[in-house]
Amino acid sequence: MSELETKAVETTEVKAVSKKKGMNVKDLTTLGLLTGILLVMSFTPLGYFHTFGLDISLMMIPVGIGAMLMGPKAGAWLGFIFGATSFYQAVTGASPFSAMLFNISPVSTFLLCIPTRMLMGFLTGVIFLLVSKLDKKKTACFFVGGFFAAFLNTLFFMSTLVLLFWNTEYIQGFNQAFGNVNPFLFVVLFVGVNGALEMPASCIAGGVVSKAVSRTLYKKVV
């Protein structure tokens, strides 16, 4: 076997071992950085902007970026961090809305905050991988991933909110203000401005940043 062939075999073996081991140092560094960004954001209006209704948040953007750069498992981890900070806001009373839900049922509030965000991060990574196989220019897939990070966050959070808290006096108080509408229309009205801000912001910011980092840091598009 020639020296060139030997090097080719060694390179193939290294790649195979890397795949088996999972994340490399670069991935772990990026994951740590995004985790830190989420923690910092959780204490600023960029993380949680508290309103009289549902809180406006941009926390799903780093989650979506991580899911697109490193895959569904990284997305699930970052979703966990997002959810944990949200639950912390409920426990400490930093979010009046979440704190009220916590007073009604701590267990239901935990399920509302954490599993929904983990599933959002995981599925954002899955959707990105699927769309990237169809996207020949490898551009639209990043913006699709950014959009779905916000869309799935809203979908899972609001679905769980209605499922677990619909019959509570607190949520029905909001519903009375909307004219006692059905659960679907309640979600549309309740999300309102939040969705109009979060989804475009996540689509644009998540798409631009994730593609830029993928091209520069990872030297690849997908």
Side-chain angles (χ1 to χ4, degrees):
M1 183 180 293
S2 67
E3 183 178 351
L4 183 60
E5 291 175 332
T6 302
K7 289 183 178 180
V9 171
E10 290 176 349
T11 301
T12 302
E13 290 177 348
V14 169
K15 288 182 178 180
V17 171
S18 297
K19 287 183 179 180
K20 290 181 180 179
K21 289 183 177 180
M23 288 189 174
N24 55 32
V25 175
K26 188 179 297 181
D27 288 334
L28 291 173
T29 302
T30 304
L31 189 63
L33 177 61
L34 289 171
T35 299
I37 289 174
L38 283 170
L39 293 174
V40 171
M41 286 179 65
S42 68
F43 294 99
T44 71
L46 284 176
Y48 299 100
F49 181 74
H50 303 301
T51 65
F52 292 104
L54 191 64
D55 294 337
I56 298 174
S57 175
L58 297 179
M59 295 281 281
M60 77 290 296
I61 295 178
V63 177
I65 292 172
M68 289 186 279
L69 292 178
M70 294 168 287
K73 291 182 180 179
W77 164 256
L78 293 170
F80 168 76
I81 299 299
F82 176 12
T85 61
S86 178
F87 188 66
Y88 174 80
Q89 297 253 328
V91 173
T92 60
S95 167
F97 177 77
S98 298
M100 184 60 71
L101 297 179
F102 182 80
N103 290 333
I104 296 172
S105 174
V107 174
S108 294
T109 304
F110 175 87
L111 295 175
L112 177 68
C113 292
I114 296 181
T116 55
R117 272 56 185 267
M118 292 182 68
L119 184 59
M120 173 271 289
F122 182 84
L123 289 182
T124 296
V126 171
I127 290 171
F128 172 76
L129 290 175
L130 292 175
V131 176
S132 65
K133 294 179 180 179
L134 303 175
D135 182 13
K136 294 182 179 180
K137 294 186 177 180
K138 308 303 180 187
T139 297
C141 55
F142 290 100
F143 294 93
V144 170
F147 169 81
F148 270 98
F151 175 76
L152 293 176
N153 179 61
T154 299
L155 176 64
F156 294 148
F157 184 88
M158 291 304 300
S159 298
T160 306
L161 177 70
V162 169
L163 179 65
L164 299 179
F165 292 96
W166 177 251
N167 292 321
T168 63
E169 292 183 6
Y170 183 56
I171 296 301
Q172 285 305 310
F174 286 99
N175 193 32
Q176 287 179 7
F178 295 143
N180 292 317
V181 297
N182 60 61
F184 176 77
L185 187 55
F186 171 81
V187 170
V188 173
L189 294 173
F190 198 56
V191 171
V193 176
N194 302 57
L197 291 174
E198 291 176 355
M199 292 180 197
S202 181
C203 176
I204 297 171
V208 170
V209 174
S210 57
K211 181 175 181 178
V213 173
S214 181
R215 284 187 176 278
T216 56
L217 182 61
Y218 284 82
K219 304 298 183 182
K220 60 179 182 178
V221 178
V222 177

